Amino acid sequence: MAFSNLEGLYRQVIMDHYKDPRNKGLPTDESYHHVHLKNPSCGDDITVAIKLEGDTIEDIRHEGVGCSICCSSASVMCEELCGKDIVLARRVTHNFYEIVKGSEIDETIDMGDAIAYSGVSNFPARIKCATIPWKALETGLEELGK
Ligand code: ZN
């Protein structure tokens, strides 16, 4: 019973981010680095724009089309990673990959709404949907030499 209530709550969190996405829309500001990734198996097509200030992620924006899992995950990622230093952002990202696989996570890290994606592990085909915005961010950090 408790489990299904939790599932319902998680679904609400995901739908809230899908219907009212945070940080949506790409900036024209040239200080942002853009990464475009596609997930052909689902049709997700997303661009993430990253702005760093030293070793801190000052801002992340996103734009694209995709399923509710992908689009909401981009919104959650922005909310969780903006303002974090890159080392912590990477730890949160890796923890998120464990969450969607249903693996053990580092519970000392505050995951915020990202914890709502634990149910994705029941649908392995959707794991890529959830992770693609986060992969785009990781790619961007690598391209920026971070
Ligand atoms: Zn998808």
Side-chain angles (χ1 to χ4, degrees):
M1 211 43 200
F3 182 72
S4 63
N5 285 343
L6 194 61
E7 263 190 356
L9 176 69
Y10 285 170
R11 203 172 307 120
Q12 265 181 28
V13 169
I14 291 170
M15 287 317 289
D16 174 54
H17 279 276
Y18 180 57
K19 288 178 183 161
D20 179 25
R22 280 51 144 190
N23 292 35
K24 192 170 163 108
L26 295 178
T28 50
D29 184 342
E30 282 179 8
S31 61
Y32 284 78
H33 180 76
H34 290 70
V35 180
H36 179 213
L37 285 184
K38 289 180 182 181
N39 172 16
S41 67
C42 179
D44 302 321
D45 184 316
I46 185 159
T47 301
V48 167
I50 308 152
K51 184 176 187 177
L52 299 181
E53 179 65 57
D55 286 325
T56 301
I57 299 176
E58 189 176 287
D59 194 25
I60 312 169
R61 309 280 313 177
H62 65 98
E63 185 59 82
V65 289
C67 65
S68 57
I69 299 286
C70 172
C71 293
S72 63
S73 178
S75 171
V76 169
M77 177 183 74
C78 292
E79 199 168 75
E80 297 309 321
L81 299 188
C82 283
K84 285 198 165 60
D85 75 75
I86 290 168
V87 174
L88 179 56
R90 277 216 168 84
R91 290 178 66 203
V92 172
T93 300
H94 289 140
N95 232 18
F96 182 70
Y97 295 160
E98 300 304 320
I99 287 172
V100 297
K101 282 189 291 185
S103 307
E104 291 272 313
I105 65 163
D106 181 346
E107 291 186 350
T108 62
I109 300 174
D110 178 15
M111 294 302 291
D113 284 350
I115 203 78
Y117 292 80
S118 54
V120 173
S121 61
N122 297 317
F123 307 95
R126 309 306 298 279
I127 290 175
K128 201 170 177 191
C129 301
T131 58
I132 194 165
W134 302 70
K135 298 273 186 199
L137 180 90
E138 274 194 311
T139 302
L141 291 176
E142 267 167 45
E143 288 174 354
L144 288 163
K146 295 293 181 181

